[in-house]
Amino acid sequence: MSKSPDSSVIVSKGAASQGLGTFGGVFTPSILTILGVIMYLRFGWVVGHVGLWQTLLIVTISTSITLLTGLSISAIATDQVVRAGGAYYMISRSLGIETGGAVGIPLYLAQAFSVALYTIGFAESLVQVFPALSQTLVALITTILVAILALKSADIAIKAQYFIMAAILLSLGSLLLGQGVEPTALPATEAPGSVGFWAVLAVFFPAVTGIMAGVNMSGDLKEPQRAIPKGTLAAIAVGYVIYMLIPFLLAWWADPATLIAEPLVMRRMALWGDAILLGVWGATLSSAIGSILGAPRVLQALARDGILPGRLRWLGRGYGPMDEPRMGTWFTLGIALAAVSVGDLNLIAPILTMFFLTTYLVLNVSAGLETFLQSPSFRPTFKVHWSLSLLGAVGCLMVMFLINAIATVMAAAIVLGIFLWLQRREMEGAWGDLRNGLWMTLVRTGLFQLQTTPDAKNWRPHLLVFSGAPTKRPHLTELAVDLTHNRGLITLSSVLPPGARSGSQQDALESTIKDYLERQGTEAFVRLVTAPDPFSGMEKLVDAYGIGPLVPNTVLLGDTEAENTRDRFCQMIATCHQARRNVLIFRSQPEHYPAFGGRVLTNRRIDVWWGGLQANGGLMLILAYLLRTSDRWRNAEVYLNLVVPNDQAQAAAESNLKGVVKNLRIGAIPRVIVAGDRSFDDILQTSSQTADLVFLGLATPSENFTDYYLDLQKRTASLPPTILVLASEELEFAEVLQKDG
């Protein structure tokens, strides 16, 4: 089992005074990513199709989802020390390393490809003004330049964004001082109102995303717990105000047909039209810078946590007083340049948007669950009700399907694939996460919902297996697996003599057994107890093991041939019966059970010696059916054997038995055997000699039970592997098999 190092111990090398502040580190990259190309090139299209008031509603709905996500981010950020990695770091420390990695890897790739997406967008707009330029060459040069900015230092890159912010403010000011325009002479590509409300919302929604740009700088912030909430929420608020003002200008100054036909209609409206071009260029460049700053930091955190394969761990190195991810930046630059060379990212752009929205969704789920579980370890100074976070998650999911349902499914498949890959690697973080708390809450709720009386409709064996060391009695473990189908509960128990091992040694032994079971692919609990003798320990477990109504209903153990322990063994069977635990005694050696010692099913036959549906008969049929439907015993034939005294009784017995088998639908083969002058023992030995497994009922323990059991052992000594069954629960097992019409 691989264990990742704890990134929480990797503290930024820079002193607090050297970190970025709220304005430069969070607000600036966030607001510049929010005020992007959609505002300049698609806002008029939105107003033209749905009108002013529906546009304001679209802006409000979209921003509400972003705001709810921002609240969730703020809650998580004020609860934990946020290191490098931003959203990945938050998710991995809340929902576990597999979930964090499953979201973090696509998030990194989305940011890396976004660098190319934005630089190509910048190149396209520049070439429209200067047609002589080569779009691909401009995009390549721009990508290299923004990477050089990021490599020089994050601080310089942030300062560069101040100039970009100035250009965007200039463009907005020029638009505010603008005027109305004449109707366009361009031909209409779409009729106003031809695109519906939700389709328009899907186009607009990416305009309000971008809050991760500041969160991804978490490792470079002076005070991330303070800066992330303030900077993120401030950027959302400022973006909302701007997005609520611009539609009024667009609706007042141009008709819907003009807004739809001219993507750069703002250039005609503005006091200084070229300021809008500066805004478009600034928006694309700021988004590219935000991505080239954020992506390597996510990659650095992924490498340090051991998410990436061993050959890529060097990407976790940091340099300089700010622990800057230079190697990760070079790596990201390579990916971005390769994408720019391809030139057309339209095919993958929707999936990239899905990855960002998936991150928002998971952050909302994480914050909502943390708050709902009320774990003592979750104590954010910025408190958000869990329902708001989960509402944000639902909103993200809805918008994902609205934007592109196919891309949503593809993104979900990629995230799930990475999650399963990380799970197979059996990674284990050195930090706690909320999964145990979530399971505890679900288990607690389930336990209180369970009925205290057995339920025939949902009955299945929950086994307490007295296996000792599983390596010595593997046949018991395998039989338990075959009976439960990984649906019932299995507990493998072992009794240790007092003083044989210390507490730490017992823990080590339990871990060894668990590791063995994991290698075998067996899902089972392990329980070790100390007692003066094995039978006292078994009785202790039968009496006390379990919680509430969830207790083992069936005890599975091997047989004993030792004379000095037979009385104690029979007494323990009586104890189990009194405790209403069914008893299964498996008379077999490991090499006689399928899959051990090279033995295979010879005749694929299970014999059930039956005396009716009541008591042992019903339980034996259930167990035989469970075996027959397991992987190892798949499609084995179950013979339901009934002995009658003479030929006169045979016809009626056959008719009744066939009716029972047909009604029960378990695929058993009825077989009525006429005893004549033969004893039952002779019939048993003759008829079941070639079976692979035999089920026999066990009498209810009484005063002479030890003598009875000794006699039973002698009578069945030469049989194939045999299971002796004692039904003890207060349950009509016939009801498990039968259904009322």
Side-chain angles (χ1 to χ4, degrees), residues 103-116:
V103 175
I105 292 176
L107 176 62
Y108 164 72
L109 292 174
Q111 289 179 327
F113 282 114
S114 292
V115 177

Side-chain angles (χ1 to χ4, degrees), residues 57-58 61-62 196-206 399 402-403:
L57 180 60
I58 285 174
I61 292 173
S62 302
F197 178 86
W198 293 110
V200 172
L201 183 146
V203 171
F204 173 78
F205 185 82
V399 169
L402 285 171
I403 292 175

Side-chain angles (χ1 to χ4, degrees), residues 477-499:
T477 305
E478 292 296 335
L479 177 61
V481 171
D482 291 342
L483 288 172
T484 58
H485 298 185
N486 280 332
R487 296 294 185 272
L489 300 178
I490 301 174
T491 300
L492 301 182
S493 59
S494 183
V495 181
L496 307 176

Side-chain angles (χ1 to χ4, degrees), residues 41 115 183 195 245 249 269 289 392 420 453 491 494 530 564 617 620:
L41 301 180
V115 177
V195 181
L245 289 175
L249 303 180
M269 293 178 177
I289 291 173
L420 295 175
T453 56
T491 300
S494 183
T530 57
N564 60 332
M620 286 194 294

Side-chain angles (χ1 to χ4, degrees), residues 39-308:
M39 179 181 72
Y40 290 102
L41 301 180
R42 300 301 281 171
F43 219 170
W45 178 89
V46 170
V47 177
H49 273 298
V50 299
L52 174 62
W53 301 112
Q54 289 194 46
T55 297
L56 298 180
L57 180 60
I58 285 174
V59 171
T60 301
I61 292 173
S62 302
T63 307
S64 297
I65 295 173
T66 308
L67 175 62
L68 292 172
T69 305
L71 294 174
S72 297
I73 291 171
S74 300
I76 298 174
T78 58
D79 173 69
Q80 56 184 240
V81 178
V82 183
R83 306 296 183 194
Y88 157 72
Y89 186 93
M90 293 178 176
I91 293 169
S92 63
R93 269 57 180 179
S94 292
L95 296 178
I97 193 167
E98 299 95 341
T99 306
V103 175
I105 292 176
L107 176 62
Y108 164 72
L109 292 174
Q111 289 179 327
F113 282 114
S114 292
V115 177
L117 193 66
Y118 295 130
T119 55
I120 290 174
F122 170 79
E124 285 180 354
S125 60
L126 194 65
V127 169
Q128 288 179 5
V129 181
F130 305 102
L133 297 176
S134 167
Q135 178 178 310
T136 302
L137 182 60
V138 171
L140 288 171
I141 294 174
T142 306
T143 304
I144 294 172
L145 289 177
V146 296
I148 290 174
L149 268 179
L151 284 167
K152 190 67 178 175
S153 82
D155 191 43
I156 294 178
I158 291 294
K159 289 177 180 177
Q161 293 197 70
Y162 294 150
F163 293 98
I164 294 172
M165 180 182 285
I168 291 177
L169 290 176
L170 177 63
S171 70
L172 291 174
S174 183
L175 177 64
L176 188 62
L177 298 174
Q179 59 185 355
V181 297
E182 295 296 325
T184 184
L186 296 174
T189 55
E190 296 172 342
S194 60
V195 181
F197 178 86
W198 293 110
V200 172
L201 183 146
V203 171
F204 173 78
F205 185 82
V208 299
T209 62
I211 56 176
M212 288 293 105
V215 176
N216 290 333
M217 297 300 297
S218 57
D220 296 85
L221 298 176
K222 181 180 178 181
E223 296 179 89
Q225 289 179 299
R226 180 174 175 269
I228 289 176
K230 292 181 65 176
T232 301
L233 296 178
I236 294 171
V238 171
Y240 179 65
V241 171
I242 293 173
Y243 279 145
M244 291 294 281
L245 289 175
I246 291 178
F248 284 97
L249 303 180
L250 296 173
W252 290 340
W253 289 350
D255 64 280
T258 300
L259 293 174
I260 293 172
E262 291 190 41
L264 267 174
V265 68
M266 289 184 187
R267 190 180 183 190
R268 284 211 291 149
M269 293 178 177
L271 179 64
W272 179 38
D274 288 343
I276 300 299
L277 287 178
L278 292 178
V280 173
W281 295 340
T284 52
L285 288 177
S286 65
S287 298
I289 291 173
S291 296
I292 199 68
L293 286 174
R297 283 156 175 79
V298 175
L299 186 65
Q300 184 183 49
L302 290 167
R304 287 179 171 178
D305 282 348
I307 298 290
L308 302 181

Side-chain angles (χ1 to χ4, degrees), residues 671-714:
R671 185 167 65 168
V672 176
I673 302 171
V674 178
D677 56 357
R678 295 179 298 167
S679 68
F680 176 78
D681 291 348
D682 291 337
I683 298 171
L684 175 64
Q685 296 290 343
T686 303
S687 301
S688 290
Q689 199 59 50
T690 56
D692 290 292
L693 188 66
V694 179
F695 279 95
L696 282 173
L698 195 63
T700 301
S702 60
E703 185 176 351
N704 299 318
F705 186 71
T706 301
D707 295 334
Y708 158 80
Y709 191 75
L710 175 59
D711 181 59
L712 182 62
Q713 284 182 316
K714 294 177 180 178

